[in-house]
Amino acid sequence: MKKTQWRTAPRNLTVAPATLASDSVTLVWDKPDDTAAAGGYRIYRDGISIMKTRPAQTHATIRGLTAATTYTFRVESMSAQAGDTKGWSCSSALTVRTKPHGVVIDVTQAPYLADATGKTLATTALQSAIDACPAGGMVWIPADAVILTGAIDLTSNLTLRIDGKLQGSSDPVDYTFTSENRKNYKGSINRDGLILTRYEGWEMYCYRSLINAGYLNTDNRREVTCENIRICGRGTVYGGGNALGTAMKQIYADREQYPRYVSDGIGGRRVRGRLIGLIQCKNVHLTGITVENPPCWTIHILYCDTVTTHGLTIKSRGIDNGDGWDPDSSRNLMIFDTTFDTGDDCIAVKSGKNPEGNAISLPTENVRIFDLQMIGGHGMAIGSEESGGVENVYLHDCIIRDTNYGLELKAHPSRGGYIKHLVMEDCVIDRFLAHSVDYNADGTAAPSLPYFGDITIKNTMINGTGRAVELIGFTRDDQDRSDDHYVRGIMLENVTLGSQKDKTKEIYLKKCRDLTFKRVRLANGDQPLFTIDKKTVHHLRINDE
């Protein structure tokens, strides 16, 4: 391959983890080295062109495949020059073999006969179908069905296809285990029928989620307790929302064994279930569906390995603590082609709270986020529950707009832990914050302060309201005020702040070091306003060349 072709060829074509099915596969790739040259991509299956994608769309889902069949795929860059319809250069070939076709169980048909009108609770019928489904099979909710249900538990090697509506019950009792329905669950259950999970950084007993997979094993949190599951379809998972969440809180508001919520002292607030809860799972694929109206967080991914989420619409506007997608001490995660409209953090990357998160010490790592939109809510957060650490996060071609904070890296000084090795490029965001915060401070302090560092923001527009960039490191009154835990190793390159109408945008720097701002300008070409605490900012380089 010629050097020019090599520089314009898509790189690292692969199957998105856990997405290979009997009738479809999702491909992902990296942009060419010469990203400006690519005007989109053309996908070939067995030498035949089958689809095109946008320049920012480095993924493609190929449907209508035949089960147990081998296919070869290539991806070709298309020229960004107007009128040039020729392809430039192709990726290496990728050969895949689809999975065999499995049994399909329609839950509305005999022997399960789940009520398709949504008028009668169908938890037992749906769970029975899941339990009876053989490995490699599918439990199906057809397009015209509304299935009303409480909590269900998925089993390994299973597809749950929702083309209709899975409607969550509004009764908290339907999200507990009773003596009749707990026989197959291997996790911990307390006397109230709640399960051991983690919420807001601590392991505790909570209501079950609407859709559950796996369980928490405190003897080995890396053990896989459920694997090879797929939740897909064209339908909707619709939870009980604030009404259900409020009912869950009220039942246990005065119980001492359920910790009070730090921001308002209300008991019972932490016991709420999620909409989808994955615990110690491996090889999970979430695609196609709309997930909406959770009782608190929407999708919680705890102690998991290899989860791919794409093609989802996540809605939780107006929900108390209505986070969208929360990876928590998990690894090898990928999310793309997803739209968020949330009432809190669209994405919230977590790894536990001090002191428990420091002791468990399981980081969230290897997270790839691309080609998605966050509309409203708080934006994307890493922390403040990061006591186990967060590392190797890569974002590209994302839009984070009309949010409160844009991309926010945050921790209280007591938290400990770290956030490191983050790269964001080719994005549009409201703000970029990497800072110490003074809230959410419960829990015995960690022995050391948090560490934030090795962060790069490139080829990005920051155009929301408020400070465009805020970097504030960590100190604590009762220990040496050294700069060991300053925010450090930050580079902003080719970053545009604001719009043509903005006369100034502020970059605020305090308790940080080793900072590089290279070609960081306002949209009108002017220099941004730098507010610098000169006593605590060291090794600052501003280079517009």
Side-chain angles (χ1 to χ4, degrees), residues 461-483:
M461 295 180 61
I462 303 177
N463 58 13
T465 59
R467 284 177 178 164
V469 177
E470 181 176 280
L471 308 179
I472 303 175
F474 302 90
T475 56
R476 200 158 53 205
D477 290 338
D478 61 348
Q479 72 178 49
D480 180 32
R481 292 179 177 273
S482 70
D483 64 2

Side-chain angles (χ1 to χ4, degrees), residues 43 49 68 152 193 203 206 261 320 327 339 369 374 378 388 450 465 470 477 480 488 490-491 532:
I43 292 88
S49 176
I152 57 171
E203 291 181 359
C206 301
Y261 195 75
D320 184 23
T339 299
I369 301 167
M374 304 181 198
H378 292 174
T465 59
E470 181 176 280
D477 290 338
D480 180 32
R488 62 175 59 208
I490 312 295
M491 171 180 276
I532 303 169

Side-chain angles (χ1 to χ4, degrees), residues 227-294:
E227 62 184 337
N228 305 325
I229 57 176
R230 188 171 187 237
I231 304 172
C232 64
R234 299 178 180 178
T236 299
V237 177
Y238 194 90
N242 279 331
L244 174 62
T246 298
M248 289 174 168
K249 288 185 290 185
Q250 289 175 342
I251 290 174
Y252 296 113
D254 298 325
R255 296 282 191 92
E256 292 183 359
Q257 71 266 38
Y258 299 113
R260 294 181 178 273
Y261 195 75
V262 65
S263 65
D264 56 20
I266 297 175
R269 197 168 181 184
R270 286 182 166 123
V271 302
R272 290 170 292 170
R274 307 355 154 211
L275 195 57
I276 298 175
L278 309 173
I279 306 176
Q280 293 188 215
C281 295
K282 185 172 184 177
N283 295 332
V284 179
H285 184 201
L286 306 173
T287 184
I289 57 176
T290 295
V291 286
E292 188 172 357
N293 205 39

